[in-house]
Amino acid sequence: MSDMKIAVMGAAGRMGRELVRAAHATPGCTVVGGTERAGSLALEQDIGFLAGIGSLGVKITDDPLELIARADAVLDFTTPKSSVEFAGLSANARIVHVLGTTGLSEQDDAAIAAAARHATIVKAGNMSLGVNLLVALTRKVAQALDEDFDIEILEMHHKHKVDAPSGTALMLGEAAAEGRGVSHEERSVRVRDGHTGPRRRGDIGYATLRGGNVVGEHTVLFAGEGERIELTHRATDRGIFARGAVRAALWGRGKGPGLYSMMDVLGI
């Protein structure tokens, strides 16, 4: 089988460069190009030089349509608006779209689900193996413990992150709600400020920290009377997300259209 042709969206950003390095280092993959926004200083530069791995002979463009037309898969950790656009283009091209963008609205999710009728879309708030195992464990523990155990989700990221709670934190909260058999939307508490009164039984609380260059830390706490269970994942290298995204792209090759998750990729 020929190499899978990979396009990296937002290729000049921190995550974009990680994706280029991961795809280039993975047997069976070839990086065929990347995109950046119009006016970016990265346009027309060699994508390999920007990623620090030497010339790959392909340049960064601001024309996603042309790039997607010659790709087998798109790796996309950009912005909600851009990701919706790329999902539509991937659907028209009938290719794999690996989507790690966070901060998506309900309207964005609906547009991506519509695109998945024609594209193979692997969508996850976090592409790492460890985090997805943490999600599975959170669901199981929440299922095993009743509402005598309060659930709190603590997350910390670098100071440049623009959305909160993180997509990973929301994945964990949704898994906890699923394990409990309750509505995440009705039970999640995102903000506490002022005189809030006592904690409501069965709520799923969130706490958000931002600072420094923290790649990502997530802890799910199950706090009961006289005991506490803590499940934690700490990321120290963005490469784990990039490697997971490339693995998802390879998994999606030959799959039919649909909206998949990393749980499908990992078989958990």
Side-chain angles (χ1 to χ4, degrees):
M1 183 180 293
S2 60
D3 280 2
M4 190 173 207
K5 293 177 286 187
I6 303 289
V8 178
M9 320 314 274
R14 285 181 300 176
M15 194 61 213
R17 294 193 300 270
E18 289 285 358
L19 291 166
V20 172
R21 288 191 285 267
H24 178 65
T26 302
C29 292
T30 298
V31 179
V32 295
T35 65
E36 268 299 334
R37 65 189 182 281
S40 170
L41 296 176
L43 294 177
E44 295 303 313
Q45 293 193 44
D46 188 287
I47 197 170
F49 279 137
L50 280 177
I53 53 178
S55 176
L56 296 185
V58 292
K59 295 182 178 180
I60 292 180
T61 178
D62 61 359
D63 184 357
L65 178 60
E66 183 277 332
L67 177 59
I68 287 174
R70 53 189 174 85
D72 297 317
V74 167
L75 306 183
D76 171 18
F77 287 62
T78 56
T79 65
K81 181 179 178 180
S82 296
S83 290
V84 169
E85 177 190 358
F86 300 148
L89 294 175
S90 297
N92 288 335
R94 304 296 198 269
I95 65 172
V96 180
H97 183 183
V98 178
L99 201 164
T101 301
T102 59
L104 297 164
S105 67
E106 289 185 10
Q107 185 176 359
D108 297 330
D109 283 332
I112 289 163
R117 290 198 290 266
H118 303 288
T120 303
I121 298 181
V122 181
K123 175 176 172 287
N126 193 301
M127 297 282 174
S128 89
L129 172 61
V131 160
N132 283 278
L133 288 172
L134 177 61
V135 170
L137 287 169
T138 297
R139 184 182 298 109
K140 293 291 287 184
V141 174
Q143 186 177 24
L145 300 176
D146 62 22
E147 292 185 348
D148 286 340
F149 282 80
D150 301 319
I151 301 175
E152 294 286 320
I153 298 168
L154 173 66
E155 59 106 337
M156 183 171 184
H157 285 82
H158 54 87
K159 60 188 176 184
H160 301 292
K161 188 168 177 63
V162 298
D163 59 305
S166 69
T168 301
L170 293 172
M171 284 172 59
L172 293 166
E174 289 163 0
E178 184 179 341
R180 284 265 169 97
V182 300
S183 165
H184 177 256
E185 182 178 353
E186 293 176 3
R187 295 300 183 94
S188 67
V189 177
R190 310 291 182 84
V191 177
R192 295 187 180 105
D193 185 32
H195 185 72
T196 61
R199 189 186 198 282
R200 189 176 64 172
R201 179 179 170 88
D203 279 349
I204 298 172
Y206 289 86
T208 298
L209 305 177
R210 294 287 180 267
N213 63 349
V214 176
V215 173
E217 297 184 2
H218 296 85
T219 296
V220 184
L221 298 98
F222 295 86
E225 294 295 326
E227 59 182 333
R228 185 169 71 242
I229 300 163
E230 299 183 9
L231 306 176
T232 297
H233 178 271
R234 294 186 178 90
T236 58
D237 174 14
R238 285 184 180 81
I240 63 173
F241 312 127
R243 292 189 291 273
V246 174
R247 178 170 176 173
L250 290 168
W251 175 88
R253 192 173 201 178
K255 296 288 189 300
L259 187 58
Y260 302 94
S261 73
M262 281 301 289
M263 296 296 180
D264 296 308
V265 176
L266 300 172
I268 57 176

